[in-house]
Amino acid sequence: MYGIPLIEKLEELKKKEKILVIVGSEKVPREVYEIADYNISITNQPHSEIAALAIFLDKIFDGKEFFKEFENAKLKIIPCERGKKVIKNK
């Protein structure tokens, strides 16, 4: 909530091959802020950590996370309007 707005660093972050994301606020030790390369905020308004992570990932992946498939996945989720459909891969 107090870092640099994501939109200002988004293109720079997208160029990184790997990113370690630490989500939190007052629970994050000060040392983490001292060694971090970035201190990014999603908004300057209060929000949940999981909501912040979801927005961050959606922005980083340009919404493509909905279409990503993982090799050797044990489960596959099939989108449905009602209920859920899960396929176990062998």
Side-chain angles (χ1 to χ4, degrees):
M1 194 163 93
Y2 301 111
I4 303 298
L6 174 61
I7 202 73
E8 290 183 21
K9 296 290 184 176
L10 187 57
E11 292 308 314
E12 188 176 333
L13 290 168
K14 284 182 179 184
K15 293 175 185 173
K16 302 289 182 184
E17 186 175 329
K18 292 183 179 182
I19 299 174
L20 170 66
V21 179
I22 299 172
V23 180
S25 55
E26 67 271 353
K27 296 175 197 159
V28 176
R30 184 171 49 99
E31 294 82 21
V32 172
Y33 290 97
E34 291 172 1
I35 64 172
D37 293 323
Y38 301 93
N39 180 17
I40 301 293
S41 68
I42 300 303
T43 73
N44 60 359
Q45 300 299 316
H47 53 272
S48 74
E49 283 91 352
I50 197 67
L53 180 60
I55 291 168
F56 177 83
L57 292 173
D58 186 61
K59 292 288 189 185
I60 289 290
F61 292 121
D62 293 319
K64 295 175 191 164
E65 66 274 11
F66 289 104
F67 308 103
K68 186 170 181 72
E69 293 198 18
F70 296 93
E71 291 182 33
N72 302 316
K74 294 179 182 177
L75 301 173
K76 183 174 183 175
I77 310 300
I78 308 300
C80 306
E81 281 197 35
R82 300 190 192 283
K84 63 181 181 180
K85 185 173 183 179
V86 180
I87 297 174
K88 291 184 181 182
N89 292 330
K90 295 180 182 182

Coordinates of all heavy atoms in Angstrom, one line a residue:
M1 N 0.8 -1.2 0.0 CA 0.0 0.0 0.0 C 0.9 1.3 0.0 O 0.4 2.3 -0.5 CB -0.9 0.0 1.2 CG -2.0 1.0 1.2 SD -3.3 0.6 2.4 CE -2.8 1.5 3.8
Y2 N 2.1 1.2 0.5 CA 3.0 2.3 0.6 C 4.1 2.3 -0.4 O 5.0 3.2 -0.4 CB 3.5 2.5 2.0 CG 2.4 2.5 3.1 CD1 2.2 1.5 3.9 CD2 1.6 3.7 3.1 CE1 1.2 1.6 4.9 CE2 0.6 3.8 4.1 CZ 0.4 2.7 4.9 OH -0.6 2.8 5.9
G3 N 4.2 1.4 -1.3 CA 5.3 1.3 -2.2 C 5.0 2.1 -3.5 O 4.1 2.9 -3.6
I4 N 5.9 1.9 -4.5 CA 5.7 2.5 -5.8 C 4.6 1.8 -6.5 O 4.4 0.6 -6.5 CB 7.0 2.3 -6.6 CG1 8.2 2.8 -5.9 CG2 6.9 2.9 -8.0 CD1 8.2 4.3 -5.6
P5 N 3.7 2.6 -7.1 CA 2.5 2.0 -7.8 C 3.0 1.0 -8.9 O 3.9 1.3 -9.6 CB 1.8 3.2 -8.5 CG 2.2 4.4 -7.6 CD 3.6 4.1 -7.2
L6 N 2.3 -0.1 -8.9 CA 2.7 -1.2 -9.9 C 2.8 -0.7 -11.3 O 3.7 -1.1 -12.0 CB 1.6 -2.3 -9.8 CG 1.8 -3.5 -10.8 CD1 3.1 -4.2 -10.6 CD2 0.6 -4.4 -10.6
I7 N 1.9 0.1 -11.7 CA 1.8 0.6 -13.1 C 3.1 1.3 -13.5 O 3.5 1.3 -14.6 CB 0.6 1.5 -13.3 CG1 0.2 1.6 -14.8 CG2 0.7 2.9 -12.7 CD1 -0.4 0.3 -15.3
E8 N 3.8 1.9 -12.5 CA 5.1 2.6 -12.8 C 6.2 1.6 -13.1 O 7.2 2.0 -13.7 CB 5.4 3.6 -11.7 CG 4.5 4.7 -11.6 CD 5.0 5.7 -10.5 OE1 6.1 5.7 -10.1 OE2 4.1 6.5 -10.0
K9 N 6.2 0.4 -12.6 CA 7.2 -0.5 -12.7 C 6.8 -1.8 -13.5 O 7.6 -2.7 -13.6 CB 7.7 -1.0 -11.3 CG 8.3 0.1 -10.5 CD 9.7 0.5 -11.0 CE 10.4 1.6 -10.2 NZ 11.7 1.9 -10.7
L10 N 5.6 -1.8 -14.0 CA 5.1 -3.0 -14.6 C 5.9 -3.5 -15.8 O 6.3 -4.7 -15.9 CB 3.6 -2.8 -15.1 CG 2.9 -4.0 -15.6 CD1 2.9 -5.1 -14.6 CD2 1.5 -3.6 -16.0
E11 N 6.3 -2.6 -16.7 CA 7.1 -3.0 -17.9 C 8.4 -3.5 -17.5 O 9.0 -4.5 -18.0 CB 7.2 -1.9 -18.9 CG 5.8 -1.6 -19.6 CD 5.1 -2.8 -20.2 OE1 5.8 -3.6 -20.9 OE2 3.9 -2.9 -19.9
E12 N 9.0 -2.9 -16.5 CA 10.3 -3.3 -16.0 C 10.3 -4.7 -15.4 O 11.1 -5.6 -15.6 CB 10.8 -2.3 -15.0 CG 12.2 -2.5 -14.5 CD 12.7 -1.4 -13.6 OE1 12.2 -0.3 -13.6 OE2 13.6 -1.7 -12.7
L13 N 9.2 -5.0 -14.6 CA 9.0 -6.3 -13.9 C 8.7 -7.4 -15.0 O 9.2 -8.5 -14.8 CB 7.9 -6.2 -12.9 CG 8.2 -5.4 -11.7 CD1 6.9 -5.1 -10.9 CD2 9.2 -6.1 -10.8
K14 N 8.0 -7.0 -16.0 CA 7.7 -8.1 -17.0 C 8.9 -8.6 -17.7 O 8.9 -9.7 -18.3 CB 6.7 -7.5 -18.1 CG 5.3 -7.4 -17.6 CD 4.4 -6.8 -18.7 CE 3.0 -6.7 -18.2 NZ 2.1 -6.3 -19.4
K15 N 10.0 -7.8 -17.8 CA 11.2 -8.2 -18.4 C 12.1 -9.2 -17.6 O 13.0 -9.8 -18.1 CB 12.1 -6.9 -18.8 CG 11.4 -6.0 -19.8 CD 12.3 -4.8 -20.0 CE 11.5 -3.8 -20.9 NZ 12.2 -2.5 -21.0
K16 N 11.7 -9.3 -16.3 CA 12.5 -10.2 -15.4 C 12.2 -11.6 -15.8 O 11.0 -12.0 -16.0 CB 12.1 -9.9 -14.0 CG 12.4 -8.5 -13.5 CD 13.9 -8.2 -13.4 CE 14.1 -6.8 -12.9 NZ 15.5 -6.5 -12.9
E17 N 13.2 -12.5 -15.7 CA 13.0 -13.9 -16.0 C 12.3 -14.6 -14.8 O 11.4 -15.4 -14.9 CB 14.3 -14.6 -16.2 CG 14.2 -16.0 -16.7 CD 15.5 -16.7 -17.1 OE1 16.3 -16.0 -17.6 OE2 15.6 -17.9 -16.8
K18 N 12.7 -14.2 -13.6 CA 12.1 -14.8 -12.3 C 11.9 -13.7 -11.4 O 12.6 -12.7 -11.2 CB 13.1 -15.8 -11.7 CG 13.3 -17.0 -12.5 CD 14.2 -18.0 -11.8 CE 14.4 -19.3 -12.6 NZ 15.2 -20.2 -11.9
I19 N 10.8 -13.8 -10.6 CA 10.4 -12.8 -9.6 C 10.0 -13.6 -8.4 O 9.2 -14.5 -8.4 CB 9.2 -11.9 -10.1 CG1 9.6 -11.1 -11.3 CG2 8.8 -11.0 -9.0 CD1 8.4 -10.4 -11.9
L20 N 10.5 -13.2 -7.2 CA 10.0 -13.7 -5.9 C 9.1 -12.6 -5.4 O 9.5 -11.5 -5.2 CB 11.1 -14.0 -5.0 CG 10.7 -14.2 -3.5 CD1 9.9 -15.5 -3.4 CD2 11.9 -14.3 -2.6
V21 N 7.8 -13.0 -5.1 CA 6.8 -12.0 -4.6 C 6.6 -12.3 -3.1 O 6.2 -13.4 -2.8 CB 5.5 -12.1 -5.4 CG1 4.5 -11.1 -4.9 CG2 5.8 -11.8 -6.9
I22 N 6.7 -11.3 -2.3 CA 6.4 -11.4 -0.9 C 5.2 -10.5 -0.6 O 5.3 -9.3 -0.9 CB 7.6 -11.0 0.0 CG1 8.8 -12.0 -0.3 CG2 7.2 -11.0 1.5 CD1 10.0 -11.6 0.4
V23 N 4.1 -11.1 -0.2 CA 2.9 -10.3 0.0 C 2.7 -10.1 1.5 O 2.8 -11.0 2.3 CB 1.7 -11.0 -0.6 CG1 0.4 -10.2 -0.4 CG2 1.9 -11.3 -2.1
G24 N 2.4 -8.8 1.9 CA 2.2 -8.6 3.3 C 2.3 -7.1 3.6 O 2.5 -6.3 2.7
S25 N 2.2 -6.8 4.8 CA 2.3 -5.4 5.2 C 3.1 -5.3 6.6 O 4.3 -5.6 6.6 CB 1.0 -4.7 5.3 OG 0.1 -5.5 6.2
E26 N 2.4 -5.0 7.6 CA 3.0 -4.9 8.9 C 3.7 -6.2 9.4 O 4.5 -6.2 10.3 CB 2.1 -4.3 10.0 CG 1.0 -5.2 10.4 CD -0.3 -5.1 9.5 OE1 -0.3 -4.2 8.7 OE2 -1.2 -5.9 9.7
K27 N 3.2 -7.4 8.9 CA 3.8 -8.6 9.3 C 5.1 -8.9 8.6 O 5.9 -9.8 9.0 CB 2.8 -9.8 8.9 CG 1.5 -9.6 9.7 CD 0.5 -10.7 9.2 CE -0.9 -10.3 9.7 NZ -1.9 -11.0 8.9
V28 N 5.5 -8.2 7.6 CA 6.7 -8.4 6.8 C 7.9 -7.8 7.6 O 7.8 -6.6 7.9 CB 6.7 -7.8 5.4 CG1 8.0 -8.0 4.7 CG2 5.6 -8.5 4.6
P29 N 8.9 -8.6 8.0 CA 10.0 -8.0 8.7 C 10.7 -6.9 7.9 O 10.8 -6.9 6.7 CB 11.0 -9.2 8.9 CG 10.2 -10.4 8.7 CD 9.1 -10.0 7.7
R30 N 11.2 -5.9 8.6 CA 11.9 -4.7 8.0 C 13.0 -5.1 7.1 O 13.3 -4.5 6.1 CB 12.4 -3.8 9.1 CG 13.0 -2.5 8.6 CD 13.2 -1.5 9.7 NE 14.0 -2.1 10.8 CZ 15.3 -2.0 11.0 NH1 16.0 -1.3 10.1 NH2 15.9 -2.5 12.0
E31 N 13.7 -6.2 7.5 CA 14.8 -6.7 6.7 C 14.4 -7.0 5.3 O 15.2 -6.9 4.3 CB 15.5 -7.9 7.4 CG 16.1 -7.6 8.7 CD 15.1 -7.6 9.9 OE1 14.0 -8.2 9.7 OE2 15.5 -7.0 10.9
V32 N 13.2 -7.5 5.1 CA 12.7 -7.9 3.7 C 12.7 -6.6 2.9 O 13.1 -6.6 1.7 CB 11.4 -8.6 3.8 CG1 10.8 -8.7 2.4 CG2 11.5 -9.9 4.5
Y33 N 12.2 -5.5 3.4 CA 12.1 -4.3 2.7 C 13.5 -3.8 2.3 O 13.8 -3.2 1.3 CB 11.4 -3.2 3.5 CG 9.9 -3.4 3.6 CD1 9.4 -4.1 4.7 CD2 9.1 -3.1 2.5 CE1 8.0 -4.3 4.8 CE2 7.7 -3.3 2.6 CZ 7.2 -3.9 3.7 OH 5.8 -4.1 3.8
E34 N 14.5 -4.0 3.2 CA 15.9 -3.6 3.0 C 16.6 -4.3 1.9 O 17.4 -3.7 1.2 CB 16.6 -3.7 4.3 CG 16.2 -2.7 5.4 CD 16.8 -2.9 6.8 OE1 17.6 -3.8 6.9 OE2 16.4 -2.1 7.7
I35 N 16.3 -5.6 1.7 CA 17.0 -6.4 0.7 C 16.2 -6.5 -0.6 O 16.7 -6.9 -1.6 CB 17.3 -7.8 1.2 CG1 16.1 -8.6 1.5 CG2 18.3 -7.7 2.4 CD1 16.4 -10.1 1.9
A36 N 14.9 -6.1 -0.6 CA 14.1 -6.2 -1.8 C 14.6 -5.2 -2.9 O 15.0 -4.1 -2.6 CB 12.6 -5.9 -1.4
D37 N 14.4 -5.6 -4.1 CA 14.7 -4.8 -5.3 C 13.6 -3.8 -5.5 O 13.8 -2.7 -6.0 CB 14.9 -5.6 -6.5 CG 16.2 -6.5 -6.4 OD1 17.2 -6.0 -5.9 OD2 16.1 -7.6 -6.9
Y38 N 12.4 -4.2 -5.2 CA 11.2 -3.3 -5.4 C 10.3 -3.3 -4.2 O 10.2 -4.4 -3.5 CB 10.4 -3.8 -6.6 CG 11.2 -3.8 -7.9 CD1 11.8 -5.0 -8.3 CD2 11.2 -2.7 -8.7 CE1 12.5 -5.1 -9.5 CE2 11.9 -2.8 -9.9 CZ 12.6 -3.9 -10.3 OH 13.3 -4.0 -11.5
N39 N 9.6 -2.2 -3.9 CA 8.5 -2.2 -3.0 C 7.3 -1.6 -3.8 O 7.2 -0.5 -4.0 CB 8.9 -1.3 -1.8 CG 7.7 -1.2 -0.8 OD1 6.8 -2.0 -0.8 ND2 7.8 -0.2 0.1
I40 N 6.5 -2.6 -4.2 CA 5.4 -2.2 -5.1 C 4.1 -2.2 -4.4 O 3.8 -3.0 -3.5 CB 5.3 -3.3 -6.2 CG1 6.6 -3.4 -7.0 CG2 4.1 -3.1 -7.1 CD1 6.9 -2.2 -7.8
S41 N 3.2 -1.2 -4.7 CA 1.9 -1.2 -4.2 C 0.9 -1.4 -5.3 O 1.1 -1.1 -6.5 CB 1.6 0.2 -3.5 OG 1.5 1.2 -4.5
I42 N -0.2 -2.0 -5.0 CA -1.3 -2.2 -5.9 C -2.2 -1.0 -6.0 O -2.6 -0.6 -7.0 CB -2.1 -3.5 -5.6 CG1 -1.1 -4.7 -5.6 CG2 -3.2 -3.8 -6.5 CD1 -0.4 -5.0 -6.9
T43 N -2.6 -0.6 -4.8 CA -3.4 0.7 -4.7 C -2.9 1.4 -3.5 O -2.1 0.9 -2.7 CB -4.9 0.5 -4.5 OG1 -5.1 0.0 -3.2 CG2 -5.4 -0.5 -5.6
N44 N -3.3 2.6 -3.3 CA -3.0 3.3 -2.0 C -4.2 3.2 -1.0 O -4.2 4.0 -0.1 CB -2.6 4.7 -2.3 CG -3.7 5.5 -2.9 OD1 -4.7 5.0 -3.2 ND2 -3.4 6.8 -3.2
Q45 N -5.1 2.3 -1.3 CA -6.2 2.0 -0.4 C -6.1 0.7 0.2 O -5.4 -0.2 -0.3 CB -7.5 2.1 -1.2 CG -7.8 3.4 -1.9 CD -7.9 4.5 -1.0 OE1 -8.6 4.4 0.1 NE2 -7.3 5.7 -1.3
P46 N -6.6 0.5 1.4 CA -6.6 -0.8 2.1 C -7.2 -1.9 1.2 O -8.2 -1.7 0.5 CB -7.4 -0.7 3.4 CG -7.4 0.8 3.6 CD -7.3 1.5 2.2
H47 N -6.6 -3.1 1.2 CA -7.1 -4.3 0.4 C -6.5 -5.5 1.1 O -5.5 -5.5 1.8 CB -6.7 -4.1 -1.0 CG -5.3 -3.9 -1.3 ND1 -4.7 -2.7 -1.3 CD2 -4.2 -4.8 -1.4 CE1 -3.4 -2.7 -1.5 NE2 -3.1 -4.0 -1.6
S48 N -7.0 -6.7 0.7 CA -6.5 -7.9 1.2 C -5.2 -8.3 0.4 O -5.0 -7.9 -0.7 CB -7.5 -9.0 1.0 OG -7.6 -9.5 -0.3
E49 N -4.4 -9.1 1.1 CA -3.1 -9.5 0.5 C -3.4 -10.4 -0.7 O -2.7 -10.3 -1.7 CB -2.2 -10.2 1.5 CG -1.5 -9.3 2.5 CD -2.3 -9.1 3.7 OE1 -3.5 -9.5 3.8 OE2 -1.7 -8.5 4.6
I50 N -4.4 -11.3 -0.6 CA -4.7 -12.2 -1.7 C -5.2 -11.4 -2.9 O -4.9 -11.7 -4.1 CB -5.6 -13.3 -1.3 CG1 -5.6 -14.5 -2.3 CG2 -7.0 -12.9 -1.1 CD1 -4.3 -15.2 -2.4
A51 N -6.0 -10.4 -2.7 CA -6.5 -9.5 -3.8 C -5.3 -8.8 -4.4 O -5.3 -8.7 -5.7 CB -7.5 -8.5 -3.3
A52 N -4.4 -8.3 -3.7 CA -3.2 -7.7 -4.2 C -2.4 -8.6 -5.1 O -1.9 -8.3 -6.2 CB -2.3 -7.1 -3.1
L53 N -2.2 -9.9 -4.6 CA -1.5 -10.9 -5.4 C -2.2 -11.2 -6.7 O -1.6 -11.3 -7.7 CB -1.3 -12.1 -4.5 CG -0.5 -13.3 -5.2 CD1 0.9 -12.8 -5.6 CD2 -0.5 -14.5 -4.3
A54 N -3.5 -11.3 -6.6 CA -4.3 -11.6 -7.8 C -4.1 -10.5 -8.9 O -3.9 -10.8 -10.0 CB -5.8 -11.8 -7.5
I55 N -4.2 -9.3 -8.4 CA -4.1 -8.2 -9.3 C -2.7 -8.1 -9.9 O -2.5 -7.9 -11.1 CB -4.5 -6.8 -8.6 CG1 -6.0 -6.8 -8.3 CG2 -4.0 -5.6 -9.5 CD1 -6.4 -5.7 -7.4
F56 N -1.7 -8.3 -9.1 CA -0.3 -8.3 -9.5 C -0.1 -9.4 -10.6 O 0.5 -9.1 -11.7 CB 0.6 -8.6 -8.3 CG 2.1 -8.6 -8.7 CD1 2.8 -7.5 -8.9 CD2 2.7 -9.9 -8.9 CE1 4.2 -7.6 -9.2 CE2 4.0 -10.0 -9.3 CZ 4.8 -8.8 -9.4
L57 N -0.5 -10.6 -10.3 CA -0.3 -11.7 -11.3 C -1.1 -11.4 -12.6 O -0.5 -11.7 -13.7 CB -0.7 -13.0 -10.7 CG 0.2 -13.5 -9.6 CD1 -0.4 -14.8 -8.9 CD2 1.6 -13.8 -10.0
D58 N -2.3 -10.9 -12.5 CA -3.1 -10.6 -13.7 C -2.4 -9.6 -14.6 O -2.3 -9.7 -15.8 CB -4.5 -10.2 -13.3 CG -5.3 -10.0 -14.6 OD1 -5.6 -11.0 -15.3 OD2 -5.8 -8.9 -14.8
K59 N -1.8 -8.5 -13.9 CA -1.1 -7.5 -14.7 C 0.2 -8.0 -15.3 O 0.5 -7.7 -16.4 CB -0.8 -6.3 -13.8 CG -2.0 -5.5 -13.3 CD -2.6 -4.7 -14.4 CE -3.7 -3.8 -13.9 NZ -4.3 -3.1 -15.0
I60 N 0.9 -8.8 -14.5 CA 2.2 -9.4 -15.0 C 2.0 -10.3 -16.2 O 2.7 -10.3 -17.2 CB 3.0 -10.1 -13.9 CG1 3.5 -9.1 -12.9 CG2 4.1 -11.0 -14.4 CD1 4.7 -8.3 -13.4
F61 N 0.9 -11.1 -16.2 CA 0.7 -12.1 -17.2 C -0.3 -11.6 -18.3 O -0.7 -12.4 -19.2 CB 0.1 -13.4 -16.6 CG 1.2 -14.1 -15.8 CD1 1.0 -14.4 -14.5 CD2 2.4 -14.5 -16.4 CE1 1.9 -15.1 -13.7 CE2 3.3 -15.2 -15.6 CZ 3.1 -15.5 -14.3
D62 N -0.7 -10.3 -18.2 CA -1.6 -9.8 -19.2 C -2.9 -10.6 -19.4 O -3.4 -10.7 -20.5 CB -0.9 -9.6 -20.6 CG 0.2 -8.6 -20.6 OD1 0.0 -7.5 -19.9 OD2 1.2 -8.9 -21.2
G63 N -3.4 -11.2 -18.3 CA -4.6 -12.0 -18.4 C -4.4 -13.4 -19.0 O -5.4 -14.1 -19.1
K64 N -3.2 -13.7 -19.4 CA -2.9 -15.0 -20.1 C -3.0 -16.2 -19.1 O -3.0 -17.3 -19.6 CB -1.6 -14.9 -20.8 CG -1.6 -13.9 -21.9 CD -0.2 -13.9 -22.5 CE -0.1 -12.7 -23.5 NZ 1.3 -12.3 -23.8
E65 N -3.0 -15.9 -17.8 CA -3.0 -17.0 -16.8 C -4.2 -17.9 -17.0 O -4.2 -19.1 -16.6 CB -2.9 -16.5 -15.4 CG -4.0 -15.7 -14.9 CD -4.0 -14.2 -15.3 OE1 -3.2 -13.8 -16.1 OE2 -4.8 -13.5 -14.7
F66 N -5.3 -17.4 -17.6 CA -6.5 -18.2 -17.8 C -6.3 -19.3 -18.8 O -7.1 -20.2 -18.9 CB -7.7 -17.3 -18.2 CG -8.2 -16.4 -17.0 CD1 -7.8 -15.1 -17.0 CD2 -8.9 -17.0 -16.0 CE1 -8.3 -14.3 -15.9 CE2 -9.4 -16.2 -15.0 CZ -9.1 -14.8 -14.9
F67 N -5.3 -19.1 -19.7 CA -5.1 -20.0 -20.8 C -3.8 -20.8 -20.7 O -3.5 -21.6 -21.5 CB -5.1 -19.2 -22.1 CG -6.3 -18.4 -22.2 CD1 -6.2 -17.0 -22.0 CD2 -7.6 -18.9 -22.5 CE1 -7.3 -16.2 -22.1 CE2 -8.7 -18.1 -22.6 CZ -8.6 -16.7 -22.4
K68 N -3.1 -20.7 -19.6 CA -1.8 -21.4 -19.4 C -2.1 -22.8 -19.0 O -3.0 -23.1 -18.2 CB -1.0 -20.7 -18.3 CG 0.4 -21.2 -18.1 CD 1.2 -20.3 -17.2 CE 2.6 -20.8 -17.0 NZ 3.4 -20.7 -18.1
E69 N -1.3 -23.7 -19.6 CA -1.4 -25.1 -19.2 C 0.0 -25.6 -18.8 O 1.0 -25.2 -19.4 CB -1.9 -26.0 -20.4 CG -3.4 -25.6 -20.7 CD -4.0 -26.7 -21.6 OE1 -3.5 -27.8 -21.6 OE2 -5.1 -26.4 -22.2
F70 N 0.0 -26.4 -17.8 CA 1.3 -26.9 -17.2 C 1.6 -28.3 -17.7 O 0.7 -29.1 -17.6 CB 1.3 -26.8 -15.7 CG 1.1 -25.4 -15.2 CD1 -0.1 -24.8 -14.9 CD2 2.3 -24.6 -15.0 CE1 -0.2 -23.5 -14.4 CE2 2.2 -23.3 -14.5 CZ 0.9 -22.8 -14.2
E71 N 2.8 -28.5 -18.1 CA 3.2 -29.9 -18.5 C 3.2 -30.7 -17.2 O 3.5 -30.3 -16.1 CB 4.6 -29.9 -19.1 CG 4.7 -29.2 -20.4 CD 6.1 -29.3 -21.0 OE1 6.8 -30.3 -20.7 OE2 6.4 -28.4 -21.7
N72 N 2.8 -32.0 -17.3 CA 2.8 -33.0 -16.2 C 1.9 -32.6 -15.1 O 2.2 -33.0 -13.9 CB 4.3 -33.2 -15.7 CG 5.2 -33.7 -16.8 OD1 4.8 -34.5 -17.6 ND2 6.4 -33.1 -16.9
A73 N 0.9 -31.8 -15.4 CA -0.1 -31.4 -14.3 C -0.8 -32.6 -13.8 O -1.2 -33.5 -14.6 CB -1.0 -30.4 -14.8
K74 N -1.0 -32.8 -12.5 CA -1.8 -33.9 -12.0 C -3.3 -33.7 -12.2 O -4.1 -34.6 -12.3 CB -1.5 -34.1 -10.5 CG 0.0 -34.5 -10.3 CD 0.3 -34.6 -8.8 CE 1.7 -35.0 -8.6 NZ 2.1 -35.1 -7.2
L75 N -3.7 -32.4 -12.2 CA -5.2 -32.1 -12.3 C -5.3 -31.0 -13.4 O -4.5 -30.2 -13.6 CB -5.7 -31.5 -11.0 CG -5.6 -32.4 -9.8 CD1 -6.1 -31.7 -8.5 CD2 -6.5 -33.7 -10.0
K76 N -6.5 -31.1 -14.0 CA -6.9 -30.0 -15.0 C -8.3 -29.5 -14.7 O -9.2 -30.4 -14.5 CB -6.8 -30.6 -16.4 CG -7.1 -29.5 -17.5 CD -6.9 -30.0 -18.9 CE -7.2 -28.9 -19.9 NZ -6.9 -29.3 -21.2
I77 N -8.4 -28.2 -14.5 CA -9.7 -27.7 -14.2 C -10.4 -27.2 -15.5 O -9.8 -26.5 -16.3 CB -9.6 -26.4 -13.3 CG1 -8.7 -26.7 -12.1 CG2 -10.9 -25.9 -12.9 CD1 -9.2 -27.8 -11.2
I78 N -11.6 -27.7 -15.7 CA -12.4 -27.3 -16.9 C -13.4 -26.3 -16.5 O -14.2 -26.5 -15.6 CB -13.1 -28.6 -17.5 CG1 -12.2 -29.7 -17.7 CG2 -13.9 -28.2 -18.7 CD1 -11.0 -29.5 -18.6
P79 N -13.3 -25.1 -17.1 CA -14.2 -24.0 -16.7 C -15.7 -24.4 -17.0 O -16.0 -25.1 -18.0 CB -13.8 -22.8 -17.7 CG -12.4 -23.1 -18.1 CD -12.3 -24.6 -18.1
C80 N -16.5 -24.1 -16.0 CA -18.0 -24.4 -16.1 C -18.8 -23.2 -15.5 O -18.3 -22.5 -14.6 CB -18.3 -25.6 -15.2 SG -17.3 -27.1 -15.5
E81 N -20.0 -23.1 -16.0 CA -20.9 -22.0 -15.4 C -21.4 -22.4 -14.1 O -21.6 -21.6 -13.2 CB -22.0 -21.8 -16.4 CG -21.7 -20.9 -17.5 CD -22.9 -20.3 -18.2 OE1 -23.9 -20.0 -17.5 OE2 -22.8 -20.2 -19.4
R82 N -21.6 -23.7 -13.8 CA -22.1 -24.2 -12.6 C -21.3 -25.4 -12.1 O -20.9 -26.2 -12.9 CB -23.5 -24.6 -12.7 CG -24.5 -23.5 -13.1 CD -25.9 -23.9 -12.9 NE -26.8 -23.0 -13.6 CZ -27.2 -21.8 -13.1 NH1 -26.7 -21.4 -12.0 NH2 -28.0 -21.0 -13.8
G83 N -21.0 -25.4 -10.8 CA -20.2 -26.5 -10.3 C -18.7 -26.5 -10.7 O -18.2 -25.4 -11.1
K84 N -18.1 -27.6 -10.7 CA -16.7 -27.7 -11.1 C -16.4 -29.0 -11.8 O -17.1 -30.0 -11.5 CB -15.8 -27.5 -9.9 CG -15.8 -28.6 -8.8 CD -14.9 -28.3 -7.7 CE -14.9 -29.4 -6.7 NZ -14.0 -29.1 -5.6
K85 N -15.5 -29.0 -12.7 CA -15.1 -30.2 -13.4 C -13.6 -30.3 -13.3 O -12.9 -29.4 -13.8 CB -15.6 -30.1 -14.9 CG -15.3 -31.4 -15.6 CD -16.0 -31.3 -17.0 CE -15.7 -32.7 -17.7 NZ -16.4 -32.6 -19.0
V86 N -13.1 -31.4 -12.7 CA -11.7 -31.6 -12.5 C -11.4 -32.9 -13.2 O -12.0 -33.9 -12.9 CB -11.3 -31.6 -11.0 CG1 -9.9 -31.9 -10.9 CG2 -11.7 -30.3 -10.4
I87 N -10.3 -32.9 -14.0 CA -9.9 -34.1 -14.7 C -8.5 -34.5 -14.1 O -7.6 -33.6 -14.0 CB -9.7 -33.9 -16.2 CG1 -11.1 -33.6 -16.8 CG2 -9.1 -35.1 -16.8 CD1 -11.0 -33.3 -18.3
K88 N -8.4 -35.8 -13.7 CA -7.1 -36.2 -13.2 C -6.3 -36.7 -14.3 O -6.7 -37.6 -15.1 CB -7.3 -37.4 -12.1 CG -7.9 -36.9 -10.9 CD -8.0 -38.0 -9.8 CE -8.6 -37.5 -8.6 NZ -8.7 -38.5 -7.5
N89 N -5.1 -36.2 -14.5 CA -4.2 -36.6 -15.6 C -3.4 -37.8 -15.1 O -3.1 -37.9 -13.9 CB -3.3 -35.5 -16.0 CG -4.1 -34.3 -16.7 OD1 -5.1 -34.6 -17.4 ND2 -3.6 -33.1 -16.6
K90 N -2.9 -38.6 -16.0 CA -2.1 -39.8 -15.6 C -0.7 -39.5 -15.8 O -0.2 -38.7 -16.4 CB -2.5 -41.0 -16.4 CG -3.9 -41.4 -16.1 CD -4.3 -42.6 -16.9 CE -5.8 -42.9 -16.6 NZ -6.2 -44.1 -17.3

